[in-house]
Amino acid sequence: MTADPIPRFPDGFLWGASTSAHQIEGAADQRAPSVWDAFTAEPGRVKDGSTAAVACDHVRRYREDVALLADLGVDAYRFSVSWPRVNTPGGLDFYDRLVDELCAAGVRPVPTLFHWDLPAELDWLRRETAERFAQYAAVVAARLGDRVTKWITLNEPAEHTLLGHALGVHAPGKRLLFDALPVAHHQLLAHGLAVRALRAAGGSDIGIANSHGPTWPASRESADLEAAEFYDVLLNRLFADPLLLGRYPEGIGELMPGDVAADLEVIAEPLDWYGVNYYAPTRVGAPQGAGIDFGGVRMPAGLPFSVREIEGVPVTGFGWPVVPEALTELLTAFRDRYGDRLPPVVITENGCAYDGVDDTDRIAYLDAHIRALHDALRAGVDVRGYFVWSLLDNFEWAEGYARRFGLVHVDFTTQRRTPKASFGWLREVLAAQQGGVSFGSRAR
Ligand code: IFM
């Protein structure tokens, strides 16, 4: 970590922290079940055998959590709305209170409408789910739209497709491999229909949060290059191309269900901004049988690529490679690929899992990534915001509570919140940004 202060970002740059409903809310008895409830109830699905029934007990403790956000000094809070909770009588009341509390604390609410907790009776393999999502979006907008001025439709549809429906390591636990592609199409359609529904309800400033990372070929051999190219299509283009260019990457559209051409018009509804969740690059080579663990997932045999270790770089407590400069690489490559079709970018997630409250490793990670983001800005990428994942330690899906991503430590027995060293560090960074000198000509 360098001793130089972090360079100044433009005025109006949005600094925030993120969470998601299923990972923090608890109060599972006050909402309808989601696919994650059924999944976690199956023995062996979650590594430590835990569930999110209580999680951070945020539904009861949201005032304390909003006070933490205010103390941190963020401009915005990205949370998700639980569709199963909204489907429960009175379920929207909680978000009403949360949004009021945020507004009173001067923190801008940025809800995500879907962060993987699909109502248990729905299935993304069915087209109807996309239409149901748009109806749900309209219901949320009608209730919160007087105070919410920035929206996110979906979180990481790529991971939800891959981990939940192709590999079966997340809910709903389907192992369909490439037969999972309709799940991608229906989420994209749901996004486009929801953008229209939000705008019809007066909503504006609408984006999506997609996960992306550079794909690095394992070698210059043609088999490795082809495998890396294939992986890059799955992670970086399967969702971005339809959203930004109105078409699927070559060879993919034919595999999608329904009237794809008509759907693509809906999917490519112009976005106000594009959210990028960035954690790490991936090194990819030709198939090798069963691959290495990748973010806690053992890649099965039979895929046309294999994920390889990136040697010579530090790793987080989760084993993810720490490569900040790959964030600059990703964003400049995105700008080059999509040109003026790419709207302003917001980093909707970036963070790392480490144990302990004296988390100097998290400080080093965030410091380096924020600098890398500034490098992208200097290289001409129009970046407008940065959200840390995550405000709180939380339920990290199939990993249970073992992976701690929070700026705030949560004792899951007592629910005591303890701000970590990284919380104090970020608070100083944000205070300096608010008092500093503007960056160059892109300041708004
Ligand atoms: O915790 C998740 C989040 O729900 C989605 N993006 C990645 C995070 C860390 O794994």
Side-chain angles (χ1 to χ4, degrees):
M1 206 173 93
T2 136
D4 298 338
I6 288 181
R8 175 86 163 98
F9 281 71
D11 293 341
F13 190 86
L14 199 65
W15 295 96
S18 296
T19 62
S20 92
H22 192 76
Q23 293 178 272
I24 66 164
E25 280 184 357
D29 55 341
Q30 294 165 32
R31 60 161 172 75
S34 83
V35 293
W36 269 94
D37 296 311
F39 184 79
T40 48
E42 286 174 38
R45 291 299 206 175
V46 175
K47 285 188 183 157
D48 59 6
S50 60
T51 76
V54 177
C56 304
D57 197 24
H58 171 74
V59 166
R60 292 203 305 120
R61 295 168 195 265
Y62 70 95
R63 286 196 183 86
E64 187 181 348
D65 295 336
V66 172
L68 283 165
L69 287 161
D71 184 24
L72 182 58
V74 286
D75 305 308
Y77 174 48
R78 175 182 171 224
F79 60 98
S80 80
V81 176
S82 158
W83 190 352
R85 196 176 299 284
V86 172
N87 282 356
T88 309
L92 259 168
D93 295 354
F94 167 64
Y95 300 105
D96 215 24
R97 291 194 295 272
L98 173 64
V99 165
D100 275 350
E101 190 79 9
L102 287 164
C103 292
V107 178
R108 187 170 175 191
V110 184
T112 303
L113 292 171
F114 178 69
H115 195 125
W116 302 352
D117 49 350
L118 189 71
E121 71 280 10
L122 298 181
D123 184 341
W124 284 116
L125 284 167
R126 294 200 300 265
R127 182 183 178 87
E128 172 215 347
T129 302
E131 284 139 22
R132 297 277 291 271
F133 181 71
Q135 290 158 8
Y136 150 73
V139 167
V140 178
R143 183 72 177 268
L144 306 181
D146 56 338
R147 287 149 292 157
V148 168
T149 55
K150 194 175 189 75
W151 297 90
I152 300 175
T153 55
L154 308 179
N155 178 72
E156 296 184 1
E159 264 63 25
H160 192 54
T161 306
L162 178 74
L163 302 177
H165 298 78
L167 303 180
V169 295
H170 275 192
K174 295 186 200 278
R175 289 172 179 263
L176 300 171
L177 295 179
F178 290 100
D179 289 339
L181 280 173
V183 169
H185 186 70
H186 293 149
Q187 285 181 92
L188 281 165
L189 181 61
H191 157 84
L193 292 170
V195 172
R196 290 185 174 177
L198 289 172
R199 290 204 172 117
S204 58
D205 209 4
I206 303 168
I208 183 169
N210 273 325
S211 49
H212 292 293
T215 307
W216 293 346
S219 79
R220 304 313 299 167
E221 299 284 326
S222 61
D224 286 337
L225 289 172
E226 268 172 38
E229 169 72 20
F230 187 85
Y231 185 89
D232 190 54
V233 167
L234 285 186
L235 180 67
N236 292 321
R237 294 184 48 204
L238 175 59
F239 293 87
D241 279 17
L243 289 164
L244 301 175
L245 305 176
R247 59 171 185 260
Y248 277 112
E250 212 183 313
I252 302 272
E254 296 84 306
L255 305 173
M256 294 305 193
D259 183 348
V260 175
D263 290 349
L264 280 167
E265 276 185 38
V266 180
I267 291 167
E269 196 64 45
L271 285 169
D272 298 299
W273 55 278
Y274 189 89
V276 170
N277 293 0
Y278 170 76
Y279 289 90
T282 314
R283 186 163 168 261
V284 175
Q288 278 188 321
I292 62 161
D293 263 13
F294 174 55
V297 179
R298 180 152 287 271
M299 302 300 267
L303 294 173
F305 56 83
S306 61
V307 176
R308 311 281 180 86
E309 193 176 336
I310 298 178
E311 285 157 9
V313 299
V315 292
T316 69
F318 206 157
W320 296 1
V322 179
V323 192
E325 59 277 17
L327 174 58
T328 321
E329 176 189 327
L330 170 75
L331 294 177
T332 50
F334 237 72
R335 188 264 326 272
D336 295 347
R337 182 180 280 164
Y338 295 109
D340 57 14
R341 305 297 290 271
L342 181 67
V345 169
V346 173
I347 303 300
T348 30
E349 283 182 28
N350 177 237
C352 48
Y354 289 110
D355 288 339
V357 292
D358 189 16
D359 55 342
T360 46
D361 27 25
R362 178 172 289 100
I363 294 174
Y365 181 101
L366 296 177
D367 179 278
H369 283 79
I370 292 172
R371 288 175 199 276
L373 185 61
H374 197 271
D375 288 345
L377 199 61
R378 279 195 181 280
V381 183
D382 187 359
V383 191
R384 305 272 180 103
Y386 175 87
F387 287 69
V388 175
W389 183 270
S390 177
L391 175 67
L392 303 171
D393 289 342
N394 57 46
F395 178 74
E396 176 57 23
W397 309 110
E399 297 288 315
Y401 294 97
R403 309 293 180 192
R404 291 180 174 271
F405 278 88
L407 296 165
V408 176
H409 178 272
V410 177
D411 178 326
F412 292 107
T413 309
T414 62
Q415 290 297 340
R416 179 156 182 250
R417 273 79 164 136
T418 307
K420 302 181 187 177
S422 57
F423 182 99
W425 170 85
L426 186 60
R427 182 169 50 190
E428 278 179 27
V429 169
L430 299 185
Q433 289 290 324
Q434 278 139 19
V437 180
S438 287
F439 165 80
S441 56
R442 297 185 70 86
R444 292 175 306 280

